[in-house]
Amino acid sequence: QVQLVESGGGLVQPGGSLRLSCAASGRTNTMGWFRQAPGKEREFVARISWSVGSTYYADSVKGRFTISRDNAKNTVYLQMNSLKSEDTAVYYCAAARLYTYGDYSAYDYWGQGTQVTVSS
């Protein structure tokens, strides 16, 4: 069992930045970030592999968000720049035992979520 704890959410103005963190109690193959806005389905944001650090992004965040990892701290980060109102959502960290991409059903462990609100 892997436990995930997210932090770093909050309120930010459009065009601003936030960095989310996800501390993992153990190591898996893939770490991902998903988000869910009110009334919408959970959607994939980004993912990274622990071993080689390969990354993959949703088109909606490509060029604005960056996922990274710190192997020594077992922590994954999501740097979010140029935030838009449509980025407002609860952001979830997830871990998959297998090498995978954006299919949320492939992820085995989930954090509790952290709220990100982009508003002026």
mmCIF file of all heavy atoms in Angstrom, residues 9 11 16 18 21 27 31 47 56 67 69 73 82 84-85 92 95 97 99-100 106 108 114 116 119:
data_model
loop_
_atom_site.group_PDB
_atom_site.id
_atom_site.type_symbol
_atom_site.label_atom_id
_atom_site.label_comp_id
_atom_site.label_asym_id
_atom_site.label_seq_id
_atom_site.Cartn_x
_atom_site.Cartn_y
_atom_site.Cartn_z
ATOM 1 N N GLY A 9 -1.910 23.557 -2.759
ATOM 2 C CA GLY A 9 -3.041 24.206 -3.419
ATOM 3 C C GLY A 9 -3.358 25.549 -2.792
ATOM 4 O O GLY A 9 -2.792 25.928 -1.761
ATOM 5 N N LEU A 11 -5.460 29.705 -3.583
ATOM 6 C CA LEU A 11 -6.106 30.684 -4.456
ATOM 7 C C LEU A 11 -5.029 31.508 -5.158
ATOM 8 O O LEU A 11 -4.101 32.009 -4.510
ATOM 9 C CB LEU A 11 -7.007 31.601 -3.626
ATOM 10 C CG LEU A 11 -7.639 32.799 -4.340
ATOM 11 C CD1 LEU A 11 -8.598 32.324 -5.428
ATOM 12 C CD2 LEU A 11 -8.344 33.690 -3.328
ATOM 13 N N GLY A 16 -1.072 33.637 -12.716
ATOM 14 C CA GLY A 16 -0.153 33.326 -11.630
ATOM 15 C C GLY A 16 0.356 31.898 -11.669
ATOM 16 O O GLY A 16 0.073 31.134 -12.610
ATOM 17 N N LEU A 18 1.509 28.260 -9.201
ATOM 18 C CA LEU A 18 1.447 27.464 -7.975
ATOM 19 C C LEU A 18 2.290 26.219 -8.192
ATOM 20 O O LEU A 18 2.435 25.755 -9.333
ATOM 21 C CB LEU A 18 0.011 27.029 -7.652
ATOM 22 C CG LEU A 18 -0.922 27.962 -6.900
ATOM 23 C CD1 LEU A 18 -2.296 27.320 -6.773
ATOM 24 C CD2 LEU A 18 -0.366 28.331 -5.546
ATOM 25 N N SER A 21 2.795 19.611 -4.464
ATOM 26 C CA SER A 21 3.720 18.545 -4.077
ATOM 27 C C SER A 21 2.930 17.298 -3.714
ATOM 28 O O SER A 21 1.801 17.397 -3.213
ATOM 29 C CB SER A 21 4.561 18.972 -2.871
ATOM 30 O OG SER A 21 5.329 20.117 -3.154
ATOM 31 N N ARG A 27 7.571 3.489 -3.474
ATOM 32 C CA ARG A 27 7.912 3.736 -4.875
ATOM 33 C C ARG A 27 7.079 2.828 -5.777
ATOM 34 O O ARG A 27 6.951 1.642 -5.538
ATOM 35 C CB ARG A 27 9.412 3.465 -5.080
ATOM 36 C CG ARG A 27 9.948 3.834 -6.430
ATOM 37 C CD ARG A 27 9.932 5.332 -6.682
ATOM 38 N NE ARG A 27 10.748 6.069 -5.747
ATOM 39 C CZ ARG A 27 12.059 6.256 -5.887
ATOM 40 N NH1 ARG A 27 12.683 5.754 -6.919
ATOM 41 N NH2 ARG A 27 12.726 6.964 -5.011
ATOM 42 N N MET A 31 3.897 8.045 -11.608
ATOM 43 C CA MET A 31 3.163 8.999 -10.768
ATOM 44 C C MET A 31 2.417 9.953 -11.690
ATOM 45 O O MET A 31 2.970 10.391 -12.706
ATOM 46 C CB MET A 31 4.120 9.784 -9.882
ATOM 47 C CG MET A 31 4.835 8.929 -8.852
ATOM 48 S SD MET A 31 3.729 8.311 -7.583
ATOM 49 C CE MET A 31 3.293 9.844 -6.745
ATOM 50 N N ARG A 47 1.962 13.071 -16.141
ATOM 51 C CA ARG A 47 2.510 11.926 -15.447
ATOM 52 C C ARG A 47 4.002 11.844 -15.679
ATOM 53 O O ARG A 47 4.528 12.367 -16.657
ATOM 54 C CB ARG A 47 1.788 10.627 -15.863
ATOM 55 C CG ARG A 47 2.287 10.026 -17.178
ATOM 56 C CD ARG A 47 3.310 8.944 -16.882
ATOM 57 N NE ARG A 47 3.636 8.127 -18.019
ATOM 58 C CZ ARG A 47 4.722 8.320 -18.779
ATOM 59 N NH1 ARG A 47 5.520 9.347 -18.550
ATOM 60 N NH2 ARG A 47 4.979 7.471 -19.753
ATOM 61 N N TYR A 56 4.634 13.093 -19.609
ATOM 62 C CA TYR A 56 3.547 13.104 -20.591
ATOM 63 C C TYR A 56 2.482 14.048 -20.053
ATOM 64 O O TYR A 56 2.185 14.024 -18.854
ATOM 65 C CB TYR A 56 3.000 11.680 -20.755
ATOM 66 C CG TYR A 56 1.836 11.537 -21.697
ATOM 67 C CD1 TYR A 56 2.003 11.728 -23.066
ATOM 68 C CD2 TYR A 56 0.578 11.188 -21.237
ATOM 69 C CE1 TYR A 56 0.941 11.585 -23.932
ATOM 70 C CE2 TYR A 56 -0.486 11.047 -22.095
ATOM 71 C CZ TYR A 56 -0.309 11.242 -23.438
ATOM 72 O OH TYR A 56 -1.360 11.097 -24.298
ATOM 73 N N ILE A 67 5.785 18.635 -14.689
ATOM 74 C CA ILE A 67 5.839 17.615 -13.644
ATOM 75 C C ILE A 67 7.292 17.202 -13.459
ATOM 76 O O ILE A 67 8.051 17.081 -14.429
ATOM 77 C CB ILE A 67 4.945 16.402 -13.998
ATOM 78 C CG1 ILE A 67 4.835 15.443 -12.817
ATOM 79 C CG2 ILE A 67 5.407 15.704 -15.265
ATOM 80 C CD1 ILE A 67 3.782 14.344 -13.015
ATOM 81 N N ARG A 69 10.214 15.123 -10.380
ATOM 82 C CA ARG A 69 10.295 14.228 -9.214
ATOM 83 C C ARG A 69 11.606 14.427 -8.503
ATOM 84 O O ARG A 69 12.605 14.828 -9.093
ATOM 85 C CB ARG A 69 10.162 12.765 -9.636
ATOM 86 C CG ARG A 69 11.460 12.144 -10.189
ATOM 87 C CD ARG A 69 11.207 11.209 -11.301
ATOM 88 N NE ARG A 69 12.367 10.409 -11.659
ATOM 89 C CZ ARG A 69 13.401 10.851 -12.370
ATOM 90 N NH1 ARG A 69 13.466 12.118 -12.730
ATOM 91 N NH2 ARG A 69 14.385 10.017 -12.703
ATOM 92 N N LYS A 73 13.555 12.250 -2.059
ATOM 93 C CA LYS A 73 12.461 12.615 -1.155
ATOM 94 C C LYS A 73 11.175 11.854 -1.459
ATOM 95 O O LYS A 73 10.163 12.054 -0.785
ATOM 96 C CB LYS A 73 12.177 14.108 -1.239
ATOM 97 C CG LYS A 73 13.323 14.980 -0.769
ATOM 98 C CD LYS A 73 12.952 16.454 -0.852
ATOM 99 C CE LYS A 73 14.085 17.336 -0.347
ATOM 100 N NZ LYS A 73 13.736 18.778 -0.437
ATOM 101 N N SER A 82 1.120 30.341 -15.674
ATOM 102 C CA SER A 82 0.109 30.929 -16.565
ATOM 103 C C SER A 82 -1.267 30.331 -16.310
ATOM 104 O O SER A 82 -1.976 29.930 -17.240
ATOM 105 C CB SER A 82 0.518 30.709 -18.034
ATOM 106 O OG SER A 82 1.781 31.264 -18.289
ATOM 107 N N LYS A 84 -5.105 29.613 -15.586
ATOM 108 C CA LYS A 84 -6.344 30.152 -16.138
ATOM 109 C C LYS A 84 -7.506 29.754 -15.231
ATOM 110 O O LYS A 84 -7.401 28.798 -14.452
ATOM 111 C CB LYS A 84 -6.577 29.591 -17.539
ATOM 112 C CG LYS A 84 -5.424 29.759 -18.500
ATOM 113 C CD LYS A 84 -5.710 29.036 -19.801
ATOM 114 C CE LYS A 84 -4.551 29.140 -20.775
ATOM 115 N NZ LYS A 84 -4.820 28.424 -22.048
ATOM 116 N N SER A 85 -8.616 30.443 -15.385
ATOM 117 C CA SER A 85 -9.781 30.120 -14.553
ATOM 118 C C SER A 85 -10.226 28.675 -14.775
ATOM 119 O O SER A 85 -10.702 28.013 -13.843
ATOM 120 C CB SER A 85 -10.922 31.084 -14.846
ATOM 121 O OG SER A 85 -11.268 31.032 -16.218
ATOM 122 N N TYR A 92 -5.513 15.844 -7.820
ATOM 123 C CA TYR A 92 -5.202 14.586 -7.156
ATOM 124 C C TYR A 92 -3.873 14.026 -7.647
ATOM 125 O O TYR A 92 -3.618 13.997 -8.858
ATOM 126 C CB TYR A 92 -6.289 13.550 -7.425
ATOM 127 C CG TYR A 92 -7.643 13.904 -6.881
ATOM 128 C CD1 TYR A 92 -8.554 14.609 -7.646
ATOM 129 C CD2 TYR A 92 -8.012 13.527 -5.589
ATOM 130 C CE1 TYR A 92 -9.807 14.938 -7.153
ATOM 131 C CE2 TYR A 92 -9.265 13.848 -5.091
ATOM 132 C CZ TYR A 92 -10.159 14.553 -5.875
ATOM 133 O OH TYR A 92 -11.396 14.872 -5.381
ATOM 134 N N ALA A 95 -0.686 7.127 -8.075
ATOM 135 C CA ALA A 95 0.469 6.263 -8.325
ATOM 136 C C ALA A 95 0.015 4.969 -8.975
ATOM 137 O O ALA A 95 -1.007 4.386 -8.572
ATOM 138 C CB ALA A 95 1.199 5.967 -7.021
ATOM 139 N N ARG A 97 1.281 1.045 -10.264
ATOM 140 C CA ARG A 97 2.331 0.032 -10.146
ATOM 141 C C ARG A 97 2.968 -0.241 -11.505
ATOM 142 O O ARG A 97 4.147 -0.582 -11.581
ATOM 143 C CB ARG A 97 1.755 -1.257 -9.572
ATOM 144 C CG ARG A 97 1.327 -1.141 -8.117
ATOM 145 C CD ARG A 97 1.018 -2.509 -7.537
ATOM 146 N NE ARG A 97 -0.138 -3.115 -8.175
ATOM 147 C CZ ARG A 97 -1.378 -3.025 -7.700
ATOM 148 N NH1 ARG A 97 -1.611 -2.348 -6.600
ATOM 149 N NH2 ARG A 97 -2.377 -3.611 -8.329
ATOM 150 N N TYR A 99 3.848 0.838 -15.706
ATOM 151 C CA TYR A 99 4.183 1.991 -16.558
ATOM 152 C C TYR A 99 2.936 2.333 -17.358
ATOM 153 O O TYR A 99 2.425 1.503 -18.103
ATOM 154 C CB TYR A 99 5.335 1.615 -17.482
ATOM 155 C CG TYR A 99 5.870 2.765 -18.285
ATOM 156 C CD1 TYR A 99 6.855 3.598 -17.768
ATOM 157 C CD2 TYR A 99 5.417 3.014 -19.584
ATOM 158 C CE1 TYR A 99 7.364 4.653 -18.495
ATOM 159 C CE2 TYR A 99 5.916 4.069 -20.314
ATOM 160 C CZ TYR A 99 6.894 4.882 -19.777
ATOM 161 O OH TYR A 99 7.400 5.917 -20.508
ATOM 162 N N THR A 100 2.421 3.541 -17.188
ATOM 163 C CA THR A 100 1.180 3.883 -17.833
ATOM 164 C C THR A 100 1.157 5.364 -18.178
ATOM 165 O O THR A 100 2.117 6.106 -17.882
ATOM 166 C CB THR A 100 -0.015 3.506 -16.938
ATOM 167 O OG1 THR A 100 -1.229 3.653 -17.672
ATOM 168 C CG2 THR A 100 -0.067 4.373 -15.682
ATOM 169 N N ALA A 106 -5.860 2.970 -14.532
ATOM 170 C CA ALA A 106 -4.596 2.247 -14.388
ATOM 171 C C ALA A 106 -3.840 2.637 -13.121
ATOM 172 O O ALA A 106 -2.819 2.031 -12.812
ATOM 173 C CB ALA A 106 -3.711 2.507 -15.602
ATOM 174 N N ASP A 108 -3.348 2.967 -9.099
ATOM 175 C CA ASP A 108 -3.759 2.116 -7.985
ATOM 176 C C ASP A 108 -3.957 2.865 -6.674
ATOM 177 O O ASP A 108 -4.713 2.409 -5.810
ATOM 178 C CB ASP A 108 -2.681 1.039 -7.768
ATOM 179 C CG ASP A 108 -2.405 0.249 -9.031
ATOM 180 O OD1 ASP A 108 -3.289 -0.538 -9.421
ATOM 181 O OD2 ASP A 108 -1.321 0.428 -9.637
ATOM 182 N N THR A 114 -6.127 18.312 -3.439
ATOM 183 C CA THR A 114 -5.875 19.657 -2.954
ATOM 184 C C THR A 114 -6.553 20.646 -3.904
ATOM 185 O O THR A 114 -6.485 20.504 -5.123
ATOM 186 C CB THR A 114 -4.365 19.949 -2.838
ATOM 187 O OG1 THR A 114 -4.152 21.240 -2.263
ATOM 188 C CG2 THR A 114 -3.653 19.874 -4.178
ATOM 189 N N VAL A 116 -7.302 23.875 -6.028
ATOM 190 C CA VAL A 116 -6.661 24.985 -6.726
ATOM 191 C C VAL A 116 -7.768 25.863 -7.304
ATOM 192 O O VAL A 116 -8.614 25.379 -8.058
ATOM 193 C CB VAL A 116 -5.731 24.489 -7.855
ATOM 194 C CG1 VAL A 116 -5.252 25.654 -8.710
ATOM 195 C CG2 VAL A 116 -4.554 23.727 -7.264
ATOM 196 N N SER A 119 -8.739 32.714 -9.689
ATOM 197 C CA SER A 119 -9.781 33.733 -9.738
ATOM 198 C C SER A 119 -9.200 35.084 -9.366
ATOM 199 O O SER A 119 -8.274 35.184 -8.555
ATOM 200 C CB SER A 119 -10.910 33.375 -8.758
ATOM 201 O OG SER A 119 -11.872 34.409 -8.706
#
